[in-house]
Amino acid sequence: MSTGTTNSQRVDQFYTVAEARFDRWRTLLQAARTWESWNKEDRANRETGQAAVSKSFQDLRQWEDFFAYPGPVLLKTLQERIDSNDATGTARLAQSISAALLTHSYRTNAGDWESEEGPTSLGDRLPRGSENGGHHRPYFEVLFVSPARPAVCLELAQDLRKLRRSQDKFVYEPVFVGNVEDAILGAILNGSLEAVVIYEGIPFASSHNSPVLHEFLTAHLAATGRADGAGQYALSLAKALKLIRPELDIFLLSDREVEKAAGDVSAGCIRRVFYQVEEPLELHLSILDAIQDRFETPYFDNLQKYSQRPIGTFHALPVARGKSIFKSNWIRDMGAFYGLNLFLAESSATTGGLDSLLEPTGNIKLAQEKAARAFGADHVFFVTNGTSTSNKMVEQALLAPGDIMLVDRNCHKSHHYGAVLAGAFPLYVEAYPLTKYSMYGAVPLRTIKKALLDLKAEGKLDRARLLVLTNCTFDGHIYNVERVMEECLAIKPDLIFLWDEAWFGFARWSPFYRRRTAMGAAALLENKFKDPAYHKAYEAQVKKFGEDLDPKDSKLLETRLLANPDKVHLRVYQTNSTHKSMSSLRQGSMVLVKDQDYHTVEEQFHEAVFTHASTSPNLQIIASLDVARRQMELEGYEMVNRAIQLALDVRREVNSHPLVSRYFRVLGADELIPSEFRGTGFVDYLTPGVNWATAVKALREDEFALDVTRLTLVCGSAGFDGTQFKNLLASQYDIQLNKTSRNSILLQTNINNTRSDIAQLIKVLVEISQGIEKKLAQGGKSAQQAFAARVKSLMEDVPNLPNFSYFQESFRENPSSITSEGDMRSAFFGAYREEQCEHVKLSSPEIDKRIKDGPELVSANFVIPYPPGFPIMVPGQVITGETIEFMRKLDVKEIHGFSASLGLKLLKPSALKKALHGKSATEEEKKLKRKTAA
Ligand SMILES: Cc1ncc(COP(=O)(O)O)c(C=O)c1O
């Protein structure tokens, strides 16, 4: 992820792709203008100017081979103008190209493809009429990987253009490359590519300067046997492209036995195989048809049609059709603000072109199937009440009372409530603390393995049904999802995983992050378990540790365990807040399922949907989920790349700015992930010497990685606590953000951000830094001392983060058990009886006395301070001195479940024994208790 400062000539600097391209063109333009400004008689300066322009042009030239615009003809014209000393003509053309690139106008404006001398030699240039009858006609590019000579390629390009018809919904331009490496470079560099046409007979190596990619491909393709046989790379290339961008449509043109190629089972990644000498028309239509497949949004399309029909409504939704609004004397402004379509598209009907979210059989079903394809899942459920609901649905569907759910205590509160609702016993596994920044990291795999092995030792492993982890965490810690699942499955082959990827849904569209998503890792494992080499490696493990692992063998914790590939059941669920990282309306969320035993829980799953989903789901949210999927399948790759690049820009600018960096710092991977979890030695994305290949290695191997788009900005060193700084940014600078800690704020880039946003942020930080400098200079020694004391208090006097203590013994089946799961539901409902509860003020001496001498203080409810936003007390938990100390030091105003005037809500000691055996325990739980006791 080098930002390109080290070697500007390398084309394989993938993290700077799009924006760096614009910058290169602006640099050329600037040089051309300077050249033009020199008087013709001033020969020395004119020559220097020409040389500078020539150099800028050469700097950008090699990247341009991977894009259709400006294309070989305009580039040639530009080169000729430079060579013929035409400064004015060069500046004019550079100006029009760079403006067209920046605004993307070349996608719709035929004029951008022409030099002033008239149309370029390609004649019928593309986007003429791409505004089709007033409708926007999306533009894309198609990569042709062909060994043919350039003249033949130009001819084919002409032929394809001639096939365009005015009724086409999309328009595309071809880009030609001649070898495997360039094809991969093209797919990575050019986000507008939507399809790749591969001809047989292509060579491997590129003539572009891409040493890092070359080394990477040589190592990786060599490992998988890079040629398909007889020096043919087509199929290997198709597979490699699908790994990078699974959404690309790939077509193979073969001049050999096409029937064989089409029948090859390993060619599933190829959409269609053509016989090379046949007409290009079929190919052209197939390309458009494939795009249509991704473009189609079954639910949204139908909703639009529905809204245009004259429908009389006699159902219970007065806003539908908008008549109660647009004719109103008093609320007409609502209609003016939202527009007519919103109301025309409202309905409570589930028929007549619409569908039912609760029991989809029509276009919602289709939309969900398309989403499943896009996200690499077997099934997708759209949810209109946020991931808070998605999580509870999954947990209710998979857990029965008494089941054990291993869960990060620091996870979103929906999971804790999910455990309460399902009656599952949470077994909290602790994330590593980042005390200095008052936040948690993620849960080490060792901790999870230990918990599973302990359960096994206690004979309770069969009850451990689900592992719930947040990936990535709020602060950007990404798990090595593949490894976590593999090693857990080694201990319990049918453990189910729920990855809460509320923040991380976009990651599917980054080739760097995909392997660390639930679905990406599940796909990797699926292949791995089929691999004969894996079976062999597993047999070797059996020889060492036996098939039935001994839970007391401490070596297991140090060993990278393999799962028994014949016994594993891959059961993976993911929830994501589509609204948090993609273009869905608020509350749009999805549940992704890749569970080989899904049929065994399908009924429960539907019950869970019925339990939690509204019977009046919001149609616009459903439609926006459909559209968000379309967008990600067509432009997610480009947008996510940009979000990552912008985040790297913020990191670099803040941390290297001479003034801003005195007070603020964006934390790197090394500061958020202890070195023991960065086995490859990866330090941070912007560390000198780090390139994308180093980052890929870290993403493959390290236990934790950092999502660069989540930026922890330390503000304590500027004398602000997180909340204070958040409020300052919001009230004075109109900058909104999400989360804060005692001494930091969390900024985030996403597919919505632009370079202007980043510039604004940096400008604001400069302004605030200048303000601090001024205040310190004007305030003299006393101000400086006060500032230093404030910084010390925020940065050094930080309270220890309290670990989960333990459930009070009434909520434990066996208090002497080494595993700590507890019956949280009984505690939760125990608190429903007022007479069983008491309140004690936080500052009261009674608290200290009871901590010292008893009886134990047992929380009656969840207590969740914001920040940090995790429950520092859960129902049934014994409150320790550490927790009280933390609570007393907390200086945040928002603490859910706690009223300062009433005090802590506790279960009375007299109520405790009753709680588990009283009415709130279900028959099943009682049975379970009796069984355990026996
Ligand atoms: C990790 C995690 N999971 C789930 C949720 C809930 O998502 P939603 O806001 O879509 O209900 C959140 C919300 O912040 C979250 O941070």
Side-chain angles (χ1 to χ4, degrees), residues 491-524:
I491 302 171
K492 180 154 203 282
D494 60 352
L495 187 66
I496 314 177
F497 301 89
L498 168 55
W499 294 96
D500 178 340
E501 295 185 355
W503 301 99
F504 209 45
F506 73 94
R508 167 105 194 138
W509 281 271
S510 161
F512 296 95
Y513 289 162
R514 189 176 308 114
R515 63 178 307 120
R516 286 203 176 224
T517 63
M519 292 302 126
L524 291 174

Side-chain angles (χ1 to χ4, degrees), residues 385-389 391 411-412 414-415 470 472 474 500 502-503 577 579-580 586-589:
N385 321 57
T387 298
S388 307
T389 298
N391 287 338
C411 67
H412 188 254
S414 51
H415 300 290
T470 311
C472 66
F474 220 136
D500 178 340
W503 301 99
S577 294
H579 68 95
K580 285 194 207 292
R586 196 134 170 90
Q587 293 195 6
S589 169

Side-chain angles (χ1 to χ4, degrees), residues 95-159:
Q95 157 70 32
S96 83
I97 294 174
S98 81
L101 283 173
L102 207 57
T103 58
H104 294 307
S105 63
Y106 67 92
R107 296 177 175 179
T108 49
N109 178 21
D112 289 341
W113 296 78
E114 292 160 6
S115 64
E116 303 95 72
E117 288 104 45
T120 57
S121 55
L122 287 179
D124 180 22
R125 289 309 313 213
L126 113 113
R128 204 187 295 283
S130 66
E131 290 303 322
N132 185 8
H135 287 294
H136 170 64
R137 186 148 63 153
Y139 163 92
F140 65 97
E141 295 179 5
V142 179
L143 187 69
F144 284 75
V145 192
S146 160
R149 284 174 295 111
V152 178
C153 295
L154 281 181
E155 225 170 84
L156 176 62
Q158 292 279 35
D159 288 348

